[in-house]
């Protein structure tokens, strides 16, 4: 069973950058899509970005498009979320997740993912 651990969160000023990592252990997630979600205070969990098993296709929420970049390194069994030009509204707990299967498209729905990390806090504040 694959296990996921996020890291890289922290406190940054608006306009700053952070890179989140999602390390897999137990089993590889090379054949699974990876999604990033966030849960902000007072809001429901929302999709942020996703990447296919091949790493060729990516998908981003409109709110982060052009600022965030999702990637993965098969050799390191790790996925990443590079966040730039951070805004206060980006604040939240960020989770990575691996898909239940290998769909043809990157899903934005939490139910399409069956393995989740513990989350890492991202706070954007001056």
């Amino acid at each position: 069973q694959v296990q996921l651990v996020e890291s890289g969160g922290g406190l940054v000023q608006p306009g700053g950058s952070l890179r989140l990592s999602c390390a897999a252990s137990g089993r590889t997630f090379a054949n699974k899509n990876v999604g990033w979600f966030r849960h902000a205070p007072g809001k429901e969990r929302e999709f942020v970005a996703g990447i296919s098993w091949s790493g060729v296709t990516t998908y981003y929420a409109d709110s982060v498009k052009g600022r965030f970049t999702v990637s993965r390194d098969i050799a390191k069994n790790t996925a990443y979320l590079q966040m730039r030009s951070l805004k206060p509204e980006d604040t939240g707990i960020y989770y990575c997740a691996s898909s239940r299967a290998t769909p043809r498209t990157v899903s934005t729905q939490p139910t399409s993912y069956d393995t989740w990390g513990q989350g890492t806090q991202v706070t954007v504040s001056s």
Side-chain angles (χ1 to χ4, degrees), residues 68-120:
F68 290 12
T69 302
V70 62
S71 62
R72 65 193 303 172
D73 187 324
I74 296 176
K76 295 182 178 180
N77 209 24
T78 301
Y80 305 94
L81 183 67
Q82 178 67 57
M83 306 184 294
R84 305 182 188 277
S85 301
L86 284 162
K87 305 174 181 179
E89 50 264 45
D90 293 319
T91 293
I93 302 174
Y94 283 69
Y95 302 88
C96 67
S98 61
S99 64
R100 295 180 180 275
T102 308
R104 292 186 296 275
T105 59
V106 176
S107 176
T108 64
Q109 302 301 311
T111 54
S112 295
Y113 301 85
D114 64 357
T115 302
W116 296 77
Q118 85 289 349
T120 185

Side-chain angles (χ1 to χ4, degrees), residues 33-36 47-52 57-61 70 106-107 113:
N33 296 347
V34 174
W36 287 93
F47 174 83
V48 176
I51 187 168
S52 66
T57 60
T58 58
Y59 186 77
Y60 300 91
V70 62
V106 176
S107 176
Y113 301 85

